[in-house]
């Protein structure tokens, strides 16, 4: 919730997340749900910018413009679509988002923990790269504690990168916030924010469009998965 007298930028800087009610028209969310394919036995989908014209238009239009308010020169670098249902249900424990998606594997100092998911290379970059990023989550359905709304630890992005055991310790001492949302609501969050998601206990969809934005190009010939034109983004390192 936005505190009286504090700007939204200040709240995002302080808490590591920011909720924006009714940021996108609910009718547009309904159209997007109709166009996006059902994950069919999977938690989510990738490469939506290539398969959904409406998604591409929305991401490169309203959502990029909104992200740029909080992260100047923001460009979308990964787009995911999650649909949590009783048939496809999952639990995500407390963690920080430490990996980024890139177009190809290129060894470079500070980039470690390479892995390949659904044919896409992922790597853990230096903290300076994560600091130049902002995640935007657009809710397409009512999202609440009963169907796995995201839970966060306010201010935990300021701890820096944490070992798993320390993540648990921080959570055990924290006041946890459940980020409930209506269709069209947006949640902004920093990658290092501690967050988790419980499994759904109610028979409803929980569809979320998850977009990661970055304000800088990657070094060493590395290129972001979605927006790989390094010449169009200033370098972070």
């Amino acid at each position: 919730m936005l505190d009286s007298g504090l700007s939204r930028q200040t709240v995002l800087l302080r808490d590591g997340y920011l909720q924006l009610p009714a940021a996108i028209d609910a009718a547009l969310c309904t159209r997007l749900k109709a166009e996006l394919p059902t994950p069919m036995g999977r938690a989510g989908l990738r490469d939506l910018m290539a398969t959904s014209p409406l998604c591409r238009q929305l991401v490169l239009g309203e959502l990029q413009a909104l992200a740029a308010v909080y992260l100047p020169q923001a460009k979308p670098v990964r787009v995911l679509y999650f649909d949590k249902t009783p048939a496809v249900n999952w639990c995500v424990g407390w963690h920080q988002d430490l990996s980024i998606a890139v177009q190809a594997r290129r060894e470079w100092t500070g980039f470690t923990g390479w892995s390949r998911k659904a044919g896409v290379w992922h790597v853990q970059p230096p903290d300076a790269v994560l600091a130049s990023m902002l995640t935007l989550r657009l809710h397409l359905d009512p999202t609440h504690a009963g169907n796995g709304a995201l839970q966060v630890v306010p201010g935990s992005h300021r701890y820096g990168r944490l070992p798993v055991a320390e993540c648990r310790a921080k959570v055990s001492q924290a006041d946890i916030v459940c980020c409930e949302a209506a269709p069209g609501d947006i949640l902004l969050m920093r990658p290092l924010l501690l967050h988790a998601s419980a499994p759904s206990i109610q028979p409803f969809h929980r569809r979320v469009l998850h977009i990661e934005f970055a304000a800088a190009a990657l070094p060493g010939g590395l290129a972001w998965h979605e927006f790989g034109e390094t010449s169009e983004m200033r370098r972070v390192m």
Side-chain angles (χ1 to χ4, degrees), residues 43-97:
L45 297 172
R46 305 169 188 267
D47 297 324
L48 298 171
M49 298 281 276
T51 59
S52 170
L54 181 57
C55 177
R56 182 178 180 85
Q57 177 184 347
L58 181 60
V59 170
L60 295 178
E62 289 182 70
L63 298 184
Q64 182 174 338
L66 190 153
V69 172
Y70 302 91
L71 183 70
Q73 302 183 48
K75 302 288 184 183
V77 295
R78 178 162 60 171
V79 180
L80 304 173
Y81 175 53
F82 298 116
D83 186 5
K84 185 178 288 191
T85 68
V88 184
N89 207 351
W90 67 92
C91 173
V92 180
W94 288 100
H95 68 288
Q96 299 169 301
D97 289 337

Side-chain angles (χ1 to χ4, degrees), residues 149-222:
L150 205 69
Q151 302 174 69
V152 301
V153 175
S156 55
H157 64 301
R158 299 196 301 269
Y159 299 147
R161 194 180 302 232
L162 297 172
V164 174
E166 197 168 342
C167 287
R168 297 193 189 107
K170 294 292 188 184
V171 171
S172 69
Q173 303 165 8
D175 292 325
I176 295 168
V177 174
C178 181
C179 298
E180 298 190 336
D185 289 1
I186 280 176
L187 173 69
L188 300 175
M189 57 182 284
R190 292 293 183 180
L192 291 177
L193 182 76
L194 281 169
H195 59 285
S197 176
S200 175
I201 59 174
Q202 297 181 359
F204 302 113
H205 285 280
R206 192 222 61 175
R207 284 167 285 203
V208 174
L209 193 61
H210 172 112
I211 308 108
E212 295 169 8
F213 290 90
L218 296 171
L222 288 162

